[in-house]
Amino acid sequence: MEFRVTVVSPAKAGTETASAPPRRRTARRATGLIASLGVLLAIAAASIAIGAKPIPLDQVWHGLFHYTGSDTDVVIRDVRLPRTILGLLVGVGLGLAGAVIQALTRNPLADPGLLGLNAGASAAVVSAISFLGVTSLTGYVWFAFLGTAVVSVLVYALGGSRSATPVRLALAGTAVYAALYGYINAVQLLDSAALDKMRFWTVGSLASANMTVVRQVTPFLLIGAVLALALGRSLNAVALGDDTARALGTNLNRTRALSMAAVTLLCGAATAACGPIAFVGLIVPHLVRAITGPDMRWILPYAAVLSPVLLLGSDVLGRLVTRPAELQVGIVTTFIGGPLFIYLVRRRRMAQL
């Protein structure tokens, strides 16, 4: 009888046992991302088909690809398609902005409002309405974006600029937020016309979407999305702490500056297009971590896919619950996000006990 013994080196054995689980995790994450894309396509189709007048999918297809100018084709091509595209773009922007801010501040319950960016957009819009007489959505876009950009620079400077830390940025954002909302309330109280015009914009809505607004905000959202996705590896290092990140060769000043630039582009364009919409940038990245773990290279693409699912799903729900009227998407996301936020805060608190 002959015995054969196969000797496997410890290094090779360790490599084989350590590499299998990561491969399985990667496969699961990739499968989940593909499934999420499928859900997003279904929600987008529902957004085009569902409204005050339900439209069968064959007529939706006809209106999209065989336009003849009929009433149904006009509704699909000129009303619901721009609304759906804008919802997709804004959802991507809010999701990525929330994920980047949570990584930048090391606070999983942070959102764009923490840095005062929504307040900057709102202050710029109310100023444009009250002092310059701007009344159209296409006019609001540029002022809102400008306000977001100015506030992001101000918060970064107050937070210490090159010596900025997560705590300093959060404190600076909170201070700017409080000051700007005091200014907004003062202007609205003194100018009732500005209050009436701001009321609809501040709720957060996709109802006034058109292709002009889509074309205006798309370049900013695309640039911001590419920049945010490229920061995944650097944000992973930032999450480990400043000392560890430096030891790993991460340039913290550059990472924070680029992160602020990405958030400004994403949040500024999204808020400019349809007003401040709460909870999307807060809830989705936090929920995504339950699927992906703490790796920002997966959190960011998942947030970019699932955030428009939440936003468009909320928009469709708002059209259904009060048909033939509709409930604005900002109200629906608040109803959905409020209880979820309370649950997440309580869960986080219990985990710390």
Side-chain angles (χ1 to χ4, degrees):
M1 182 178 294
E2 181 180 354
F3 294 94
R4 292 185 180 180
V5 178
T6 302
V7 179
V8 179
S9 67
K12 183 177 180 181
T15 301
E16 291 177 353
T17 56
S19 61
R23 282 201 297 266
R24 287 198 293 269
R25 284 198 300 269
T26 300
R28 286 197 298 267
R29 290 167 176 170
T31 302
L33 189 59
I34 293 171
S36 300
L37 285 170
V39 174
L40 178 58
L41 289 175
I43 291 292
S47 177
I48 298 175
I50 297 174
K53 175 186 176 183
I55 300 175
L57 289 179
D58 60 332
Q59 294 185 30
V60 171
W61 183 269
H62 184 276
L64 291 175
F65 301 104
H66 305 285
Y67 184 82
T68 59
S70 66
D71 291 343
T72 300
D73 288 353
V74 170
V75 169
I76 292 170
R77 184 75 68 88
D78 299 335
V79 179
R80 294 189 186 175
L81 181 61
R83 182 172 184 160
T84 301
I85 294 174
L86 187 63
L88 287 170
L89 293 172
V90 169
V92 170
L94 293 175
L96 287 176
V100 171
I101 288 176
Q102 290 176 10
L104 187 65
T105 60
R106 299 188 199 126
N107 181 358
L109 299 180
D111 73 338
L114 181 67
L115 299 183
L117 301 181
N118 290 342
S122 299
V125 170
V126 76
S127 299
I129 292 172
S130 184
F131 303 124
L132 301 177
V134 178
T135 58
S136 66
L137 181 63
T138 54
Y140 296 163
V141 167
W142 298 109
F143 285 97
F145 187 79
L146 177 62
T148 304
V150 170
V151 167
S152 67
V153 173
L154 178 61
V155 168
Y156 188 64
L158 292 175
S161 191
R162 295 181 63 85
S163 60
T165 64
V167 174
R168 288 181 180 178
L169 288 173
L171 290 175
T174 301
V176 172
Y177 172 93
L180 287 178
Y181 265 101
Y183 165 77
I184 293 167
N185 290 331
V187 173
Q188 289 179 334
L189 288 174
L190 296 173
D191 188 346
S192 58
L195 175 61
D196 292 337
K197 294 172 183 176
M198 275 286 290
R199 187 180 293 117
F200 181 79
W201 184 82
T202 53
V203 167
S205 173
L206 296 171
S208 299
N210 56 66
M211 291 308 297
T212 300
V213 174
V214 170
R215 285 191 292 268
Q216 286 178 331
V217 301
T218 296
F220 300 105
L221 289 168
L222 288 179
I223 295 171
V226 171
L227 183 56
L229 291 170
L231 288 170
R233 187 180 297 273
S234 297
L235 290 173
N236 277 342
V238 170
L240 299 174
D242 289 1
D243 293 337
T244 304
R246 291 191 185 96
L248 293 173
T250 302
N251 188 324
L252 289 175
N253 292 327
R254 182 180 64 187
T255 299
R256 286 178 179 138
L258 291 176
S259 297
M260 289 294 294
V263 169
T264 300
L265 291 168
L266 294 166
C267 184
T271 304
C274 52
I277 296 178
F279 290 108
V280 176
L282 167 63
I283 296 297
V284 174
H286 193 85
L287 294 177
V288 162
R289 288 187 187 87
I291 303 172
T292 65
D295 191 343
M296 291 299 297
R297 293 172 298 178
W298 284 100
I299 291 174
L300 290 168
Y302 262 90
V305 174
L306 292 179
S307 292
V309 168
L310 173 60
L311 187 63
L312 284 177
S314 298
D315 191 42
V316 171
L317 182 61
R319 298 181 222 174
L320 291 174
V321 294
T322 58
R323 184 185 284 180
E326 67 178 65
L327 201 60
Q328 304 306 324
V329 65
I331 298 175
V332 180
T333 58
T334 300
F335 273 114
I336 295 173
L340 277 175
F341 180 72
I342 294 172
Y343 167 75
L344 292 174
V345 170
R346 286 181 60 85
R347 181 182 176 185
R348 180 175 172 81
R349 183 177 178 183
M350 292 298 295
Q352 292 175 343
L353 294 178

